Amino acid sequence: MQDRAPPKNPYAGLPDHAFWDRSVGGLPLFALDPMAGSPVPAGFRLTRQTRIATAGSCFAQHIADRLQASGYRYLVTEDAPEGTAPSEARARGYRLFSARYGNVYTARQLRQLIERAYGRFVPADMAWTRPDGRFADPFRPRIEPEGFASAEAVEAERQVHFTHVRRLFEELDVFVFTLGLTEGWQAAGDGAAFPLSPGVAAGTFDPQKYVFANQPVEAVIADLTAFADALKAVNPTARIILTVSPVPLVATYAPRHVLQSTVHSKAVLRVAAQRLTDTRDDTLYFPSYEIVTSPEGGFRYLESDLRSVSKDGVDHVMRVFFRHLTEGGDADALPASSRSLHEARSEFAAQAALVCDEELLATGGARPWLGASSSSATTARSRSWAGAFSSLRRMLRSPR
């Protein structure tokens, strides 16, 4: 028998997904699938019995909404009181995620969440005073729009919350965490990490008590590893799916342009997520960031504010998510009630009112080029701007 000739070079014969022109440049955007060719490890295929929990930045709320709408077992251990209207429930932080912890932007917040829930870390900051004299939880400053009557009421509600968080970590099968930021504010004394700087929604900023921190990749990896180890200690069979939010920073406190800070932050988070995926068999990375920010995706999947992810972008992310990670595959990518384009867009408009603590950083900022009454949210929903960009794209692509 004649021996097979060795390949001409190590790249000869590699599958299509290994080459840019075959898997990115030569495909229409809707066909882009960054998970193609990578077998999903055993245990990460979600069934309708899998108890799925979520946490993270604002973008993670899309995943929670779609899982629930598609009939998967989305685990919620802290729900609104019976009879609460859906709009009020969302405003009070219910069902945005699996428990009422609000936005968890950084790996440090996530690590401290499980440590606080199990009593291993008790921060000095227990309650912040609001401008109206009411009180807020420093780690969930917006969960109660009306605030709390006293610092004692904040603490009492927090202990109830921790009961639900412990149950969540102990009962979940898969935990989906969307990494959003490396920048954040911490207490100088004990390192407690907050979703917002004191003085934005509640509390008083004191530069002697609160410091800005921008986590390097080593710290993010250490915090994610510590969280994963703590989760496994209370739930040995738990699996983790990490993803990086494609949403740029709304503002940066680092002494550089916000675009540089955004690229730096996302790069750090992406490397950290990959490190855990490469070194732990209980962790998987899902490429939502790559889908939205791909060369063609960034052009079409961001609204005119270049920050808000469009419905088409979310649809694409979830289509790939369901295709590779759920038993229903593509058929479950959109709920049955959203099969028509009209119904899908109406449903998305209702779901798209994401609760983002980070957006408060831009409140009141001057935008003279938009007019005194304009806002980024209004601009993002503007049909005329979207139409203008579409027309420009067609002009640039048309043959001369």
Side-chain angles (χ1 to χ4, degrees):
M1 179 181 293
Q2 188 175 6
D3 292 336
R4 179 179 299 177
K8 295 179 180 179
N9 64 70
Y11 293 92
L14 289 181
D16 287 349
H17 70 263
F19 296 90
W20 183 272
D21 62 337
R22 301 180 201 170
S23 61
V24 181
L27 291 180
L29 178 59
F30 69 82
L32 176 65
D33 183 352
M35 290 197 77
S38 302
V40 175
F44 284 97
R45 179 71 67 173
L46 310 179
T47 72
R48 296 186 185 278
Q49 288 72 48
T50 305
R51 292 165 294 193
I52 310 165
T54 64
S57 68
C58 308
F59 188 79
Q61 294 172 37
H62 290 304
I63 298 175
D65 288 336
R66 293 299 179 88
L67 286 170
Q68 294 176 85
S70 296
Y72 281 81
R73 190 176 178 184
Y74 184 66
L75 181 61
V76 175
T77 58
E78 189 172 14
D79 213 344
E82 187 175 353
T84 305
S87 58
E88 180 186 351
R90 274 186 97 82
R92 296 178 61 195
Y94 292 105
R95 282 197 173 263
L96 301 177
F97 305 101
S98 293
R100 203 181 177 206
Y101 29 65
N103 295 131
V104 180
Y105 290 113
T106 66
R108 181 62 49 84
Q109 281 182 265
L110 180 64
R111 174 181 183 170
Q112 290 182 0
L113 173 64
I114 198 168
E115 290 175 345
R116 290 189 299 118
Y118 284 92
R120 294 196 296 272
F121 176 45
V122 181
D125 285 68
M126 304 300 286
W128 285 349
T129 305
R130 303 187 343 167
D132 62 1
R134 304 277 288 180
F135 292 85
D137 187 335
F139 305 95
R140 304 177 296 159
R142 300 179 67 197
I143 60 157
E144 282 294 346
E146 302 302 319
F148 293 90
S150 65
E152 291 75 18
V154 173
E155 177 61 20
E157 203 288 328
R158 180 187 293 121
Q159 293 308 316
V160 173
H161 167 63
F162 283 159
T163 300
H164 297 300
V165 172
R166 290 193 296 270
R167 179 186 158 208
L168 177 72
F169 287 143
E170 292 164 15
E171 293 185 1
L172 63 83
D173 295 314
V174 174
F175 182 65
V176 183
F177 181 62
T178 301
L179 290 150
L181 301 173
T182 56
E183 293 188 14
W185 290 86
Q186 299 179 8
D190 58 16
F194 310 110
L196 283 173
S197 165
V200 177
T204 302
F205 180 70
D206 180 347
Q208 301 301 314
K209 293 179 60 179
Y210 304 104
V211 296
F212 172 73
N214 194 4
Q215 285 190 287
V217 66
E218 297 84 3
V220 177
I221 293 170
D223 284 340
L224 289 176
T225 301
F227 167 79
D229 289 342
L231 178 61
K232 295 288 281 189
V234 299
N235 187 342
T237 62
R239 288 150 285 156
I240 300 171
I241 297 176
L242 295 175
T243 188
V244 174
S245 169
V247 179
L249 277 66
V250 71
T252 181
Y253 195 75
R256 60 189 172 210
H257 194 285
V258 68
L259 181 57
Q260 288 195 53
S261 286
T262 292
V263 173
H264 170 83
S265 182
K266 302 302 180 179
V268 166
L269 297 176
R270 180 63 185 87
V271 169
Q274 191 64 49
R275 179 69 63 82
L276 261 76
T277 299
D278 291 343
T279 58
R280 301 183 67 100
D281 59 10
D282 60 356
T283 304
L284 176 75
Y285 176 74
F286 174 74
S288 58
Y289 176 79
E290 287 84 341
I291 293 170
V292 175
T293 63
S294 64
E296 182 72 3
F299 203 47
R300 294 175 55 185
Y301 286 166
L302 294 177
E303 297 282 9
S304 57
D305 63 353
L306 301 182
R307 187 168 187 274
S308 305
V309 181
S310 69
K311 179 200 176 296
D312 290 340
V314 175
D315 281 352
H316 193 157
V317 168
M318 296 312 301
R319 187 165 63 248
V320 175
F321 183 95
F322 277 89
R323 176 181 301 148
H324 292 279
L325 299 179
T326 70
E327 65 177 0
D330 287 287
D332 287 341
L334 283 176
S337 62
S338 299
R339 297 306 181 193
S340 77
L341 182 62
H342 174 74
E343 289 174 335
R345 291 193 180 279
S346 298
E347 181 179 40
F348 181 79
Q351 293 178 351
L354 304 183
V355 178
C356 291
D357 294 339
E358 190 189 12
E359 293 288 353
L360 290 184
L361 300 179
T363 302
R367 298 180 177 87
W369 55 91
L370 296 179
S373 62
S374 297
S375 71
S376 61
T378 301
T379 306
R381 290 192 292 267
S382 170
R383 299 293 182 187
S384 60
W385 273 98
F389 278 108
S390 296
S391 298
L392 179 60
R393 284 197 296 268
R394 287 194 296 270
M395 290 172 60
L396 293 174
R397 290 173 175 171
S398 62
R400 295 295 192 273

